[in-house]
Amino acid sequence: METTYSNNKFSKVPPQDGFRVAYILHLADNSLILGQRNAEWCGHGPVLEQDIAITNISLDLIGQARSFYQYAAQLINQHSPSPGGGRGEASEDSLAYLRTEREFKNCLLAEQPNGDWAQTMLRQFLYSTYQYYLYRFLQTNSDTTIAGIAEKSLKEVSYHLRWSSEWVIRLGDGTEESHKRMLRAVDELWSYTGELFIPAPYEKELSIDTAFLKDDWAKKVNTVFDEAALTVPSNVFMQEGGKTGTHTEHLGYILSDLQYLQRAYPGCDW
Amino acid sequence: MPVQNFEQIFQGKIDNEVKIEPKDWMPDAYRRTNIRQISQHAHSEVVGMLPEGNWITRAPSLKRKAILLAKVQDEAGHGLYLYSACETLGVSREETMNDLHSGKAKYSSIFNYPTLTWADIGAIGWLVDGAAIMNQVMLTRTSYGPYARAMVRICKEESFHQRQGFESLLVLSRGTEEQKAMCQDAINRWWWPALMMFGPKDSESTNSDQSMKWKIKRKSNDELRQNFVDMIAEQIKTLGMKLPDDKLKWNDERRHYDFGEINWDEFWQVVKGNGPCNKQRLDARKKAWEEGEWVREAAAAYARKKASPNPSKGGALEAA
C-alpha cells in the first residue's frame, strides 16, 4: 500500500509532506476523473440546456483538479527540484497524464460509467453531496492552499448538488420508466458509496477522518431519496480500494483516452 | 390595406435599414427564408459540437481540455440563441429539430468531415470558425432583428475561438517534426472544405438575389470567400505552413490572392449526404434525441405533478 503514494517518482518528498501530496492528488484525481466522465456527455445530452449544464459541471471539476494538481506539483518540486528546470519537474499535466492506473487515488464512484442520464445524475448527486460536506470542512484546514481551493470550489459544488438533487427527484418521481431507471442506477452505484467514508492512510495521517461526514451525507441523501420516492438500500456490500490505487477495470480505459497524446508523443508542448 | 402596401412598407424598412421584428408584417417567402437559414445555422452549431467533441476526452493537456470543453459548450449556447430566434418566426424547437432528424433541414457540410488528429481541433478553430466569422460578421447587420442580435453575441465568442485555434496550431508549428507534420496534414485536409463553406459560386447560387434585396445577405458567396482567402493566406505565414493550392498567388492588379478551383463534385456529394461522416453525425444527433426522450418525458411529468393543486410532498427541491 505504501508504494501507491510514496512511489519513486516523489522519492525525495519527506513522509509528512508525502501524505499531504497523496491527499491532494486524491482530491485532484476525484475531480479530474468525474470531470472526464461528465465530459463524455458533451454533444450527446438529452436536451441542449442540460448538455450545457453537465459540461459546466465538467469544467468546474477540471478546474478544481487543476488547482489541486498545481499545488501538489509545487510541493513535489520544492523537495526535488530538477537540475535542468522545466521538463523533469512535476506539473499539473505530468501528474494527470503520466501517472498509472495504480497511482490514481480517486474514489471508485467517480470512475463508474455514465450509463443513462439517471445513472449520471445519481453518481453526481452522491458525489456532490460528499464533496459539499468535505469542502465545507476543508475550508478551515490549516493548509491555507487546500482551504482556499475548497472555499472557492464550494460555490460550484453547491450548484452541482442542487442541480443533481433536482434531477434525482424529477426522475425518481417522474414517470414509471424514469423511476425504474433510477432504481437501476441505485443498484449500480450504491456499493461504491461506502469507500467515501473509510479513511485512507494519508487521510488518517492528516487527521481528515471522512467517517464523520457520513451522518450529514446520509441525512441529505435520505431527504432527497424520500422526495424522489426512492429507498436507501441496506445491507449492501461496499467495494473499496480506489483511494489507494486499486480500481475497477474502468479506470484503465479512462486513462488510455485521457493520456493518449502525452504517451504517444512524449515530452511535447501542446 | 392591400398586400401591395404592406410589401411597400416592408421593403421601405429594409431600404432604410430598419430591422424587421417578429410582430411586423413580412412576406411569407421572407419568413420562410429566415426560418430555413436560421434553423440551418442552429443545426450547424449543434452538429458542429460532434467533430470537436470527439477530442475532448483525449485533449493533450488540462488547459486544452478546458478550452475545448468551453468552446463546444459555447456552440451549444449559440444553438440555443438561434433556435430561440427561429421560434420568433413561429416554429417550435421541436419542429425544427424534427426537420434536422428527418434530413429535411441541412446543416453546414463542413461538419461531415472527420477529426482524425488533435491538430484538426486547431484547424477547425482557425479555418472553420474563421470562415464562419466572415459570414457571421455580415449577418450582425442582417435585416431580421432577432437574428442580427443573436449574431452579435455569437461573433464575439467565435472570434475568440478562432484565435484559440490559431494559437493551438502555432504551438504545433513550433514543436517536434511529428507535431509540424500533424499541423500541415490538418491544414491540407481542412482548407478546401473550409472554402466550400461559402457555398456555390455566385453564378450558381439560387437563393442569393432575393436574399440580397431583403438584406438577409449583404455580400455574395464569392466576395466572402475571397476575403477569407486573403486573410488566411497572410496568417499562414506566421505558422510557417503551406496552403494546399499551387495556384495561390498574390495578384497585384486585383489586390487579392488568386486561388485554384474548388472541387465542386465533392461539394455536391457532401451536400447530397455522401460525405465521410454525414451518416454518423445525423445518427449521433438522432440517438441523443431518442435516448433523451424518456428524460424529457419524466421532466414534463414531474413539472405537471408540481403544478397540480395537490402536490404530494414538497420542500426538498427548494431546500437542496
Side-chain angles (χ1 to χ4, degrees), chain A residues 22-64:
Chain A
Y23 184 57
I24 298 163
L25 288 175
H26 158 70
L27 295 173
D29 293 345
N30 274 338
S31 292
L32 176 64
I33 297 301
L34 187 56
Q36 173 87 355
R37 274 298 194 205
N38 285 339
E40 293 171 17
W41 274 106
C42 186
H44 307 276
V47 66
L48 213 42
E49 285 84 346
Q50 302 308 327
D51 205 306
I52 292 174
I54 190 104
T55 305
N56 229 2
I57 291 175
S58 177
L59 270 168
D60 286 344
L61 290 168
I62 288 164
Q64 292 169 19

Side-chain angles (χ1 to χ4, degrees), chain B residues 48-248:
Chain B
M49 295 169 75
L50 299 170
E52 292 178 282
N54 184 36
W55 280 90
I56 289 173
T57 61
R58 294 177 293 168
S61 72
L62 295 181
K63 185 182 102 179
R64 294 284 173 209
K65 190 188 290 290
I67 289 175
L68 183 57
L69 265 171
K71 183 187 183 217
V72 179
Q73 188 191 33
D74 282 347
E75 275 147 21
H78 299 170
L80 273 186
Y81 309 156
L82 290 164
Y83 285 124
S84 302
C86 225
E87 281 177 323
T88 66
L89 290 163
V91 280
S92 70
R93 200 201 302 181
E94 186 138 21
E95 287 172 81
T96 313
M97 294 286 232
N98 286 341
D99 285 348
L100 170 69
H101 300 148
S102 71
K104 186 180 156 204
K106 299 284 178 211
Y107 55 87
S108 180
S109 278
I110 192 79
F111 302 117
N112 292 320
Y113 289 87
T115 50
L116 301 179
T117 73
W118 168 251
D120 290 23
I121 299 306
I124 288 182
W126 179 45
L127 296 175
V128 175
D129 289 1
I133 290 166
M134 290 284 160
N135 202 24
Q136 289 169 352
V137 166
M138 168 187 80
L139 289 171
T140 59
R141 295 168 57 235
T142 191
S143 59
Y144 187 57
Y147 193 22
R149 289 188 289 274
M151 290 321 301
V152 172
R153 291 177 69 177
I154 291 174
C155 273
K156 282 186 194 144
E157 292 176 354
E158 292 289 4
S159 51
F160 187 56
H161 296 163
Q162 201 211 1
R163 281 202 298 279
Q164 284 172 334
F166 184 78
E167 191 267 336
S168 156
L169 291 186
L170 192 61
V171 172
L172 296 181
S173 74
R174 291 173 180 174
T176 62
E177 288 309 313
E178 280 172 312
Q179 285 177 303
K180 286 179 193 167
M182 194 190 278
C183 180
Q184 182 63 60
D185 169 60
I187 293 169
N188 292 350
R189 281 181 290 109
W190 289 92
W191 172 246
W192 291 107
L195 288 189
M196 294 176 199
M197 286 173 71
F198 298 96
K201 281 196 243 191
D202 292 349
S203 52
E204 289 172 27
S205 176
T206 46
N207 298 316
S208 280
D209 288 351
Q210 186 63 65
S211 285
M212 295 282 254
K213 189 179 164 224
W214 280 336
K215 294 186 183 167
I216 295 174
K217 273 175 87 158
R218 287 171 177 267
K219 286 184 177 180
S220 78
N221 294 354
D222 286 338
E223 253 179 297
L224 290 167
R225 186 162 23 234
Q226 181 70 61
N227 292 347
F228 177 70
V229 172
D230 291 347
M231 177 178 85
I232 296 298
E234 286 301 315
Q235 290 179 350
I236 198 161
K237 291 177 183 169
T238 311
L239 292 179
M241 297 280 144
K242 279 202 167 60
L243 292 174
D245 180 357
D246 297 339
K247 298 209 170 70
L248 187 83

Side-chain angles (χ1 to χ4, degrees), chain A residues 32 35-36 39-40 42-49 51-53 55-59 62 65-66 69 92-93 96-97 116-118 158 161-162 165-167 169-171 173-175 177-179 181 220 223-224 226-229 254 256-262 264-270, chain B residues 46 49-50 53 55-70 72-73 75-77 79-80 83 93 97 116 118 167-168 171-172 175-176 178-179 182 284-285 288-289 291-306 312-320:
Chain A
L32 176 64
Q36 173 87 355
E40 293 171 17
C42 186
H44 307 276
V47 66
L48 213 42
E49 285 84 346
D51 205 306
I52 292 174
T55 305
N56 229 2
I57 291 175
S58 177
L59 270 168
I62 288 164
R66 292 183 67 186
Y69 284 133
E92 61 172 42
D93 286 332
Y97 286 84
D116 58 10
W117 191 250
S158 307
L161 175 54
R162 198 181 69 213
S165 323
E166 287 173 3
W167 271 110
I169 294 168
R170 202 177 277 139
L171 297 178
D173 191 22
T175 59
E177 161 144 34
S178 69
H179 182 75
R181 285 175 184 262
K220 176 72 186 174
T223 310
V224 170
D226 189 38
E227 181 79 9
I254 295 175
S256 16
D257 265 5
L258 182 94
Q259 300 181 337
Y260 152 64
L261 280 164
Q262 291 271 358
Y265 304 93
C268 291
D269 286 324
W270 298 95
Chain B
V46 173
M49 295 169 75
L50 299 170
W55 280 90
I56 289 173
T57 61
R58 294 177 293 168
S61 72
L62 295 181
K63 185 182 102 179
R64 294 284 173 209
K65 190 188 290 290
I67 289 175
L68 183 57
L69 265 171
V72 179
Q73 188 191 33
E75 275 147 21
L80 273 186
Y83 285 124
R93 200 201 302 181
M97 294 286 232
L116 301 179
W118 168 251
E167 191 267 336
S168 156
V171 172
L172 296 181
T176 62
E178 280 172 312
Q179 285 177 303
M182 194 190 278
R285 284 313 315 161
W289 187 252
E291 289 182 357
E293 193 174 0
W294 71 268
V295 179
R296 297 189 298 275
E297 273 172 7
Y302 182 76
R304 276 195 303 274
K305 274 188 208 175
K306 288 288 119 176
S312 52
K313 284 177 212 156
L317 266 183
E318 290 70 28

